[in-house]
Amino acid sequence: MTAIAHRYEFVYLFDVTNGNPNGDPDAGNLPRLDPETNRGLVTDVALKRKIRNFVTLDKEGGPGYAIYMQEKAVLNNQHKRAYDALEIKPEDKKLPKDEARAREVTAWMCANFFDVRTFGAVMTTGVNAGQVRGPVQLGFATSIEPVLPLEISITRMAVTTEKEAEAQSGDNRTMGRKHILPYGLYRAHGFVSAKLAERTGFSGDDLQLLWRALINMFEHDRSAARGEMAARKLIVFEHQSAMGDAPAHVLFDTVRVARATDEDRPARSFADYRISVDAEALPRGVGVREYL
Amino acid sequence: MKVERVSYDVITPSAARGILEAIHWKPAIRWHIDRIHVLKPIRFESIRRNEVGGKLSPASVAKAMKAGSTAGLATFVDEDRQQRAATVLRGVRYLIEAHFELTDRAGPDNSVGKHLDIFNRRARKGQCFHAPCLGVREFPASFELLEEGVPLPEPAPGVEANKDLGWMLHDIDFSDGMTPRFFRARMQGGVIEVPPWQAGEVKA
């Protein structure tokens, strides 16, 4: 497993129809909003959670693809995982023992856990070697246009407790609420550092798995709250060198998302947007590829 | 204010150093931040997220390594959940003035000029070791090199020119058991003069 040798940046577009992509615990689970612009937000950690869940389903905890940060919901792999024992030799014998030990621990975690290798993890050790900085970094996803959350009231033809039933004298009904966005197209930016990948052993296969996860993760994340979510575009910039050949923001600026239909009317589907990549404006040494 | 994170009003010298180190750093050099120009008004917003409370203990990893199996080594997010709010800055823009000096780990083939050239070349091309961030990694930082002779960018309207920002983290002293050291940050004309690391006004 050789680490990747190029720096990457990616633009990831996904949309939601009649659903809540990411609830805000501060606002009673309303979809997250940027209060100043009314644009929707999806946090980086929400996307990472879905990537982890996809990898769990895809690899079923195969050797090297265990997931450290787990949700119970995806713990259907109770079988003992096949596992290849690693013989790790500390690279430098001259280091003090505890640091070498910490490195060994870190290396073992990276080799066995996809999410540690990809996103990093914090391990408490006396020396400061127990922190893994992962090569993959995601920013917050922001909706292209302001979104308007709707509050939908729903009824349930049942109650939870006897007491409630008595209070309603047998008319067993309760009301609930759902928050949805009629439509929202979100854009997230991501970064993959080849130099940090060297340290964690994040390989080309891992990168392909990451792209696959981004493309397919909503297909395995259906729920009553989410509505219809779909990955719409994954545009990847590959630099020739490990350090990169252009500023990330310059690359991101080449991807434009514009309205294809009348801007005064609210967008309700992906067809209302037009995505263009200005390949002319790409700096030398940077390739662009649309994976989706 | 660590449990519910609250950002400082401006970038700390420590964070600014981290951004420079993301672009270029070697053990032979040590960056020193001289000045921080604040180019956008200071504005906050609050974000609450689900986070994990615990950290991974090396002992449990050691046990799994011995057993040769990853079974049972996991954190269940829903059992170890904390909802933490972060009060973060938004719409920031800074100009960082810095220099570096050679450390005692510099060999004979290390010169200030060499490292400065590397840094300038990388910053000019947008190259970096890893994407620099604004405090935490979910907020990536865009950077540009301000070339010599180019006038300084004008601060955006609405920037408070003079403000006492109180005691602020200067940097962590790694040679002295990770003790944080603080300085009295004052913004004058939109610029914060950062005292040198050895100065008497920087207190642990």
Side-chain angles (χ1 to χ4, degrees), chain A residues 16-22 29 50 71 73 178-180 217-229:
Chain A
V16 57
T17 312
N18 293 334
N20 180 354
N22 185 204
N29 210 32
K50 291 182 192 1
E71 255 180 330
K178 279 180 106 156
H179 297 287
I180 63 162
M217 65 195 191
F218 294 117
E219 310 299 342
H220 304 280
D221 187 61
R222 306 287 180 205
S223 76
R226 294 271 174 263
E228 285 176 47
M229 293 187 72

Side-chain angles (χ1 to χ4, degrees), chain A residues 259-276:
Chain A
R259 277 297 294 273
T261 50
D262 182 3
E263 284 185 27
D264 297 333
R265 307 191 44 177
R268 285 293 179 263
S269 80
F270 187 62
D272 291 331
Y273 290 99
R274 193 176 42 238
I275 287 105
S276 59

Side-chain angles (χ1 to χ4, degrees), chain A residues 66-87:
Chain A
I67 293 288
Y68 176 70
M69 288 288 168
Q70 293 197 352
E71 255 180 330
K72 280 250 189 25
V74 291
L75 258 184
N76 51 7
N77 41 1
Q78 292 296 0
H79 56 274
K80 264 282 197 223
R81 302 187 188 104
Y83 164 74
D84 48 341
L86 282 158
E87 297 285 326

Side-chain angles (χ1 to χ4, degrees), chain B residues 47-157:
Chain B
I47 300 168
R48 185 176 291 271
R49 285 176 293 179
N50 290 329
E51 298 182 17
V52 172
K55 279 188 272 193
L56 173 58
S57 84
S60 63
V61 182
K63 213 164 74 188
M65 283 166 80
K66 257 207 200 77
S69 155
T70 55
L73 187 64
T75 288
F76 294 108
V77 180
D78 28 18
E79 288 173 11
D80 188 15
R81 178 161 287 170
Q82 300 177 340
Q83 289 198 336
R84 292 166 72 182
T87 305
V88 298
L89 292 168
R90 45 172 316 148
V92 299
R93 191 159 178 240
Y94 301 110
L95 175 70
I96 298 167
E97 289 186 49
H99 69 280
F100 58 81
E101 57 188 31
L102 296 177
T103 62
D104 44 15
R105 295 179 62 183
D109 56 345
N110 277 304
S111 67
V112 171
K114 173 182 124 174
H115 286 291
L116 189 62
D117 283 347
I118 295 175
F119 179 85
N120 285 345
R121 198 170 58 234
R122 284 190 187 171
R124 207 169 280 140
K125 282 183 78 173
Q127 294 187 310
C128 56
F129 187 89
H130 62 89
C133 67
L134 294 157
V136 281
R137 286 189 71 196
E138 50 267 46
F139 304 120
S142 305
F143 61 92
E144 277 174 10
L145 182 68
L146 190 72
E147 303 280 0
E148 273 187 52
V150 177
L152 298 183
E154 285 292 310

Side-chain angles (χ1 to χ4, degrees), chain B residues 31-49:
Chain B
W31 283 102
H32 291 280
I33 309 297
D34 303 323
R35 261 170 238 97
I36 295 168
H37 301 242
V38 182
L39 303 173
K40 282 273 183 80
I42 297 166
R43 291 182 308 158
F44 288 94
E45 84 174 299
S46 168
I47 300 168
R48 185 176 291 271
R49 285 176 293 179

